[in-house]
Amino acid sequence: MRETDFVSGFARGLKVIEAFGEARPRLSIAEAAKITGLDRATVRRSLLTLSELGYADYDGKFFTLTPKILRLGHAYLSATPLSMIVQPHLDQLSEKAGQSASVSVLDGTEVVYVARASQRRVMSINLMPGSRLPAYCASMGRVLLAALPETQAREILSRTELKANTPRTKTDPEELMAELRRVREEGHAVIDQELELGLCSIAVPLMNARGQVVAALNIGAPAAHVAAFELVERYLPLLQETQAALRPLLR
């Protein structure tokens, strides 16, 4: 891309939007500037523009995003057929398993949920389409990273903040690369309370008719009800059944 084709003001505005999150629903200009690394004048103009357009509310000190911001994410979800294709299959899978089931895609160092069928809340955060989780410690993330060339997966890990969410979280890059090789060989990933204590999950890749991995599918279960070592026997056949049913439907 030529430098003249890049709209830096638009890019800075998007960076300001991304500063908001579940842990940061309200931001002052100073806080947003610190998070984004942009100067306060730029952040102020971006936030006031968002407020003027109805994408944010401003009480004189703090800005909060409004429901109108969902239009931006909905444009992606409505433009891609993936969520519409997988949702009926997810609903069936969740019903058979008696657990929540999800589909996600890789976006940089994170997985983004594009569809979900929830039986019960298994995490402290409320997961839904559009939710994001770090790829390195999520079962769907490991499946998607394992589908990449090793050099690309390693590069993504190098850009990731590999923090220990729990005492069980794998954070050593070499240990994670070895885990990705195992996932690639076995065709599934199991997470035992690495993302959050009390949560186990198992994931498989979703491939299209050409054999390309386009997304990941998982089942999450409370560790108190289903131990990690039971996930493969109990849920892998159901996941593989859904995986096979979706393969001819995915592009």
Side-chain angles (χ1 to χ4, degrees), residues 3-65:
E3 187 176 346
T4 54
D5 291 331
F6 187 79
V7 184
S8 56
F10 182 58
R12 288 192 288 267
L14 291 174
K15 196 169 186 180
V16 170
I17 292 173
E18 291 177 347
F20 292 89
E22 184 173 14
R24 302 186 299 267
R26 299 166 70 246
L27 292 175
S28 66
I29 292 171
E31 289 168 339
K34 183 178 179 180
I35 293 166
T36 60
L38 299 172
D39 63 84
R40 290 177 60 152
T42 297
V43 170
R44 178 179 179 275
R45 289 195 300 271
S46 296
L47 288 170
L48 289 175
T49 300
L50 288 171
S51 179
E52 179 65 24
L53 295 175
Y55 289 105
D57 284 330
Y58 181 43
D59 65 6
K61 182 176 181 181
F62 292 102
F63 290 84
T64 55
L65 297 180

Side-chain angles (χ1 to χ4, degrees), residues 35-190:
I35 293 166
T36 60
L38 299 172
D39 63 84
R40 290 177 60 152
T42 297
V43 170
R44 178 179 179 275
R45 289 195 300 271
S46 296
L47 288 170
L48 289 175
T49 300
L50 288 171
S51 179
E52 179 65 24
L53 295 175
Y55 289 105
D57 284 330
Y58 181 43
D59 65 6
K61 182 176 181 181
F62 292 102
F63 290 84
T64 55
L65 297 180
T66 68
K68 187 177 180 180
I69 204 76
L70 294 173
R71 292 185 185 181
L72 303 179
H74 181 71
Y76 166 75
L77 291 174
S78 59
T80 177
L82 180 60
S83 57
M84 292 183 288
I85 290 171
V86 302
Q87 191 63 57
H89 295 268
L90 265 189
D91 292 337
Q92 292 176 19
L93 173 62
S94 179
E95 189 68 28
K96 288 179 182 178
Q99 302 290 353
S100 298
S102 309
V103 169
S104 71
V105 296
L106 189 65
D107 181 26
T109 62
E110 300 174 312
V111 293
V112 181
Y113 281 64
V114 296
R116 182 164 169 81
S118 182
Q119 288 283 325
R120 60 177 68 88
R121 185 162 169 170
V122 294
M123 289 189 67
S124 60
I125 60 173
N126 188 25
L127 295 173
M128 64 189 73
S131 294
R132 290 172 172 267
L133 293 175
Y136 76 98
C137 59
S139 59
M140 290 190 287
R142 290 203 182 152
V143 159
L144 293 168
L145 289 173
L148 300 174
E150 283 212 8
T151 53
Q152 190 175 349
R154 189 180 290 276
E155 190 275 330
I156 290 174
L157 289 179
S158 73
R159 293 189 283 112
T160 303
E161 182 186 359
L162 302 174
K163 64 178 182 178
N165 302 299
T166 78
R168 297 172 179 258
T169 311
K170 293 180 176 67
T171 58
D172 178 75
E174 294 308 318
E175 185 180 9
L176 286 167
M177 289 303 298
E179 180 68 12
L180 295 183
R181 285 190 285 272
R182 187 197 65 75
V183 170
R184 193 177 301 116
E185 291 170 4
E186 297 184 0
H188 65 270
V190 173

Side-chain angles (χ1 to χ4, degrees), residues 200-226:
C200 297
S201 64
I202 179 171
V204 298
L206 287 180
M207 293 160 285
N208 60 19
R210 297 185 298 278
Q212 300 167 319
V213 175
V214 296
L217 167 72
N218 92 334
I219 287 175
H225 297 168
V226 185

